[in-house]
Amino acid sequence: MSIAGKRARSDMKQVAAHAGVSTMTVSRALRSPNKVAADTLKRIEQAIEALGYVPDLVASSLASKRSHIIAVVVPTVSSSIFDDSVQGIADRIGSEGYQLIMGESRYSAEREEALTMALLGRRPDGLVLTGTTHAPRLRDRLKEAGLPVVETWELTDDPIDGVVGFSNFDAGYAMTAKLLGWGYRRIAFVGGSQEPRTAARRAGYEACLTDRDIAGAPVTAFSEGLSLRAAATTFESLMDQNPELDAVFLSSDSLAASALFACQRRGWPVPDRVALAGLGDFEIAAELVPALTTVRVPRYDIGRQAADMILARLNGSATTSQTLDLGYEVVRRDSA
Amino acid sequence: MSIAGKRARSDMKQVAAHAGVSTMTVSRALRSPNKVAADTLKRIEQAIEALGYVPDLVASSLASKRSHIIAVVVPTVSSSIFDDSVQGIADRIGSEGYQLIMGESRYSAEREEALTMALLGRRPDGLVLTGTTHAPRLRDRLKEAGLPVVETWELTDDPIDGVVGFSNFDAGYAMTAKLLGWGYRRIAFVGGSQEPRTAARRAGYEACLTDRDIAGAPVTAFSEGLSLRAAATTFESLMDQNPELDAVFLSSDSLAASALFACQRRGWPVPDRVALAGLGDFEIAAELVPALTTVRVPRYDIGRQAADMILARLNGSATTSQTLDLGYEVVRRDSA
DNA sequence: GTGAAAGCGCTAACAA
DNA sequence: TTGTTAGCGCTTTCAC
């Protein structure tokens, strides 16, 4: 029914005719109302209201070469990890009249490249990428593309353009050091292996153990697929095979929560039987019983600052992108 | 730096020149390669590769009046509730070359209207809305807009166009009936009051108690803001003021999890001191200890089917939108 | 403060 | 199978 179309959408020409001015004046009324006489402006506004005119941003983008769109690539949309960053971006750009176009890389560099190129077809004014590991060809193309690009959630010596994040290596190292400081000695690490960020956390964990020359090799287990069920299973078999473990560091709070529930099912007291630590400081971390010891990372601010960096470039108030290290913070609660 | 621009983006004309054909042939090679001779196609592909050409979808949209964009309005992006639906949409449309443009209504009908009109400026081929409660003016405009619109997460007698969801009233009613069937008598309801969907669940709950003529009025508490902390506080004061309660039905699994943690902190056995039930069947529901009794709702499928409905309309394989009731299912676990 | 002409990069409709 | 012409709805530029 509705696809058949009712009365045709009205365009700027109709608004102009209705208000007795030229389209140029309507355009000005929309973009820079202060350059239009007050009464003219009022007539135009009435015409817009009367006709239910909605400016065609597609035509506007084509003519002005400004789309007012920011493209965002995340590994997955259904993951509380990146949601907050997207929220940060949305909050920052929404007030400036920008809109968000999104795509999912599904943790594949190949898909990321294809998707990003497709998004570039919309001629976004800026691009936010997750991570700093990308297909080399994509990096090259983005460097040539001439639009502000911000990589997030990691730091790197060789950015495409701007970077906003923190050191996942350091975060992994710091939590491990804290656990050692609190007296734990047999510490395992659990996390996926696909994500470069998790790999960096693991590397930090291993480096810390090596530095402190802790007896016994690092114990690591992989929990792919990110499902809570898989995480619980992984944790349980890890504990079965290494009953001497006194602490487990999981690469995200979701995994840690899952491990905690596994302990509860077994009747294991946490942290007495085994201490648990996560990463992220998700909202649930403070609510869990015992509350979760974790590494707080600036999820929301990563998005906000990334958007800010892009807008600064677009407004001309910054000519060069930068690297912004937002840091992290170990938060000790009761689980370790 | 990169904003200064490197070598200018190449356009279709350059590709055409490089391949020795007209732009129209390049356009065909892109949209319907089967209508182009094999060797011509190859030359064009080489030209595209050589020039690093990325088709301008903005110009394409303007000329063809097909944007290949689906607009989605959700109350909030950082909420696991709608993520899965967005994922469902993304999965369904991604394979068809469509892209997603998103905005947040923040649970405000006013914001929803402004946002939706702004999104319509991008001339999306379809629109997915959350809920069936909208500003009347928005409804009118969308009916006139002549594009496929699908409302989700609820059912309604008076849709704008298509609807995909389930009855929140029935879901609330069903869970309440089950709780009564399991022997609970003093049942409270906790949920926000802003969301129409929560209100419908509450109405279902109240209707059930009324129908069964259960002694005592329904006990309800509001937990706004959606924060887990607020939910815990609300639950605790509810219990303090109504110590006789033997079951609490919370309008989402997040709230229920929060209530469960509150019980754990107080050393209250669940369900013996108080039974807990949620709604959503989030991934965490099955992992909690005790595992959460809840109402499973088709979060992912809502998105998938909504996208499907839109695509069917766009492909002409459906001429009229419909109402799709995806149902719900009470899942009994250990918490009630 | 306002308008006229030109054109953004592509594709519909037609023709060859 | 391929090309030509016109134009999508707006904004740029320049003139008044």
Side-chain angles (χ1 to χ4, degrees):
Chain A
M1 33 164 281
S2 74
I3 204 177
K6 317 272 171 159
R7 127 186 124 211
R9 223 191 285 279
S10 53
D11 63 12
M12 198 176 263
K13 210 182 279 182
Q14 295 174 43
V15 174
H18 190 109
V21 295
S22 71
T23 60
M24 208 37 243
T25 304
V26 176
S27 178
R28 283 199 192 92
L30 255 26
R31 305 303 149 213
S32 24
N34 56 319
K35 289 184 177 171
V36 174
D39 58 327
T40 313
L41 190 56
K42 201 160 71 186
R43 287 206 323 279
I44 292 175
E45 281 165 352
Q46 286 167 349
I48 288 176
E49 180 59 32
L51 297 174
Y53 171 64
V54 179
D56 189 323
L57 301 179
V58 175
S60 170
S61 299
L62 182 61
S64 69
K65 317 211 136 289
R66 272 291 195 117
S67 63
H68 288 269
I69 279 186
I70 304 292
V72 181
V73 179
V74 291
T76 162
V77 299
S78 61
S79 149
S80 38
I81 314 176
F82 302 108
D83 285 354
D84 289 315
S85 299
V86 173
Q87 180 93 48
I89 298 171
D91 286 355
R92 182 67 185 85
I93 70 174
S95 53
E96 311 255 351
Y98 281 77
Q99 293 170 4
L100 212 61
I101 187 161
M102 278 193 30
E104 285 195 321
S105 66
R106 308 253 176 92
Y107 297 99
S108 147
E110 212 171 300
R111 245 190 82 82
E112 183 188 49
E113 179 178 356
L115 173 69
T116 305
M117 295 321 288
L119 291 178
L120 285 186
R122 298 290 169 186
R123 301 297 183 257
D125 292 339
L127 172 66
V128 179
L129 254 28
T130 307
T132 56
T133 312
H134 314 287
R137 224 171 65 128
L138 178 61
R139 289 178 50 91
D140 294 344
R141 290 192 171 216
L142 289 178
K143 283 186 175 176
E144 283 175 0
L147 87 168
V149 176
V150 178
E151 296 169 277
T152 59
W153 277 88
E154 289 186 73
L155 299 176
T156 173
D157 293 335
D158 182 24
I160 296 172
D161 187 10
V163 185
V164 178
F166 61 93
S167 167
N168 287 275
F169 180 95
D170 288 357
Y173 194 106
M175 176 55 93
T176 310
K178 287 286 187 183
L179 288 170
L180 290 170
W182 297 328
Y184 299 104
R185 282 295 168 270
R186 296 292 302 155
I187 307 170
F189 180 96
V190 174
S193 65
Q194 297 186 66
E195 264 212 336
R197 290 167 289 292
T198 303
R201 292 165 195 171
R202 177 198 311 273
Y205 150 84
E206 291 180 349
C208 181
L209 291 189
T210 304
D211 285 358
R212 309 298 168 99
D213 201 19
I214 297 302
V219 179
T220 59
F222 303 87
S223 176
E224 300 295 354
L226 309 166
S227 91
L228 296 183
R229 197 78 285 280
T233 307
T234 301
F235 173 77
E236 297 192 68
S237 58
L238 174 73
M239 292 306 296
D240 288 342
Q241 286 164 35
N242 305 272
E244 79 286 4
L245 290 173
D246 59 4
V248 178
F249 176 20
L250 300 104
S251 74
S252 93
D253 284 359
S254 310
L255 303 184
S258 216
L260 174 58
F261 301 146
C263 288
Q264 291 178 350
R265 279 189 294 269
R266 290 192 170 193
W268 287 359
V270 174
D272 294 337
R273 169 62 186 85
V274 61
L276 260 22
L279 190 147
D281 196 24
F282 298 166
E283 203 186 357
I284 199 177
E287 303 300 321
L288 290 168
V289 184
L292 190 65
T293 292
T294 187
V295 184
R296 177 178 302 152
V297 302
R299 301 192 305 274
Y300 180 86
D301 278 337
I302 285 175
R304 200 173 197 304
Q305 296 286 357
D308 204 59
M309 210 176 259
I310 287 175
L311 291 177
R313 291 275 299 287
L314 294 175
N315 298 336
S317 57
T319 50
T320 153
S321 288
Q322 13 158 3
T323 292
L324 201 57
D325 182 351
L326 259 25
Y328 57 87
E329 182 191 355
V330 174
V331 179
R332 186 174 197 186
R333 297 205 179 91
D334 302 326
S335 73
Chain B
M1 33 167 283
S2 75
I3 203 178
K6 318 272 173 160
R7 125 186 125 211
R9 225 190 284 279
S10 52
D11 63 11
M12 197 177 263
K13 210 183 277 182
Q14 295 174 43
V15 173
H18 190 109
V21 295
S22 72
T23 60
M24 205 44 237
T25 304
V26 176
S27 179
R28 284 199 191 91
L30 255 24
R31 305 302 150 214
S32 26
N34 57 318
K35 288 184 178 172
V36 174
D39 57 327
T40 313
L41 190 57
K42 202 161 72 187
R43 288 208 319 282
I44 292 173
E45 281 165 352
Q46 286 166 349
I48 287 175
E49 178 62 32
L51 297 173
Y53 171 65
V54 179
D56 189 324
L57 301 179
V58 174
S60 171
S61 300
L62 182 62
S64 69
K65 317 216 138 280
R66 273 289 197 124
S67 63
H68 288 267
I69 280 186
I70 304 293
V72 181
V73 179
V74 292
T76 162
V77 299
S78 60
S79 149
S80 37
I81 314 175
F82 303 108
D83 285 354
D84 289 315
S85 298
V86 174
Q87 180 94 48
I89 298 171
D91 286 356
R92 182 67 185 86
I93 70 174
S95 55
E96 310 255 351
Y98 281 78
Q99 292 169 5
L100 211 61
I101 187 160
M102 278 192 31
E104 285 193 323
S105 66
R106 308 251 176 92
Y107 298 98
S108 148
E110 211 171 303
R111 244 191 83 83
E112 181 189 50
E113 178 178 355
L115 174 68
T116 304
M117 295 320 289
L119 291 178
L120 285 187
R122 299 290 170 188
R123 301 295 182 257
D125 292 339
L127 172 65
V128 179
L129 254 29
T130 306
T132 56
T133 312
H134 315 287
R137 224 172 63 128
L138 178 60
R139 290 178 49 90
D140 294 343
R141 290 191 171 217
L142 290 178
K143 283 185 175 176
E144 283 174 0
L147 88 169
V149 175
V150 179
E151 297 170 275
T152 59
W153 277 89
E154 289 186 73
L155 299 177
T156 173
D157 292 334
D158 181 25
I160 297 173
D161 187 11
V163 185
V164 178
F166 61 94
S167 166
N168 287 274
F169 179 94
D170 288 357
Y173 194 108
M175 175 56 93
T176 309
K178 287 286 188 185
L179 288 170
L180 291 170
W182 297 328
Y184 300 105
R185 281 297 168 270
R186 295 293 301 155
I187 307 172
F189 180 96
V190 175
S193 64
Q194 298 186 64
E195 265 212 336
R197 290 167 289 293
T198 302
R201 292 165 195 171
R202 176 198 313 270
Y205 149 85
E206 292 179 349
C208 182
L209 291 189
T210 304
D211 285 358
R212 311 295 169 101
D213 202 19
I214 296 304
V219 179
T220 59
F222 302 88
S223 177
E224 299 295 355
L226 308 167
S227 90
L228 296 183
R229 196 80 284 281
T233 306
T234 301
F235 173 77
E236 297 191 69
S237 57
L238 174 73
M239 292 305 296
D240 288 343
Q241 286 163 35
N242 305 273
E244 79 286 5
L245 289 174
D246 59 5
V248 178
F249 175 20
L250 301 104
S251 74
S252 92
D253 284 0
S254 310
L255 302 185
S258 217
L260 174 58
F261 300 146
C263 289
Q264 290 178 352
R265 278 189 295 271
R266 291 193 170 192
W268 287 359
V270 173
D272 294 337
R273 169 59 186 85
V274 62
L276 260 22
L279 189 147
D281 196 25
F282 299 166
E283 203 186 357
I284 200 176
E287 303 300 321
L288 290 168
V289 185
L292 190 66
T293 291
T294 186
V295 184
R296 178 178 302 152
V297 301
R299 302 191 305 275
Y300 180 86
D301 278 336
I302 284 175
R304 200 174 196 303
Q305 297 287 357
D308 205 58
M309 209 176 261
I310 288 175
L311 291 177
R313 291 275 299 287
L314 294 175
N315 299 335
S317 55
T319 51
T320 154
S321 288
Q322 10 157 7
T323 292
L324 201 58
D325 182 352
L326 260 25
Y328 58 85
E329 182 190 355
V330 174
V331 179
R332 186 176 197 184
R333 296 205 179 91
D334 303 326
S335 73

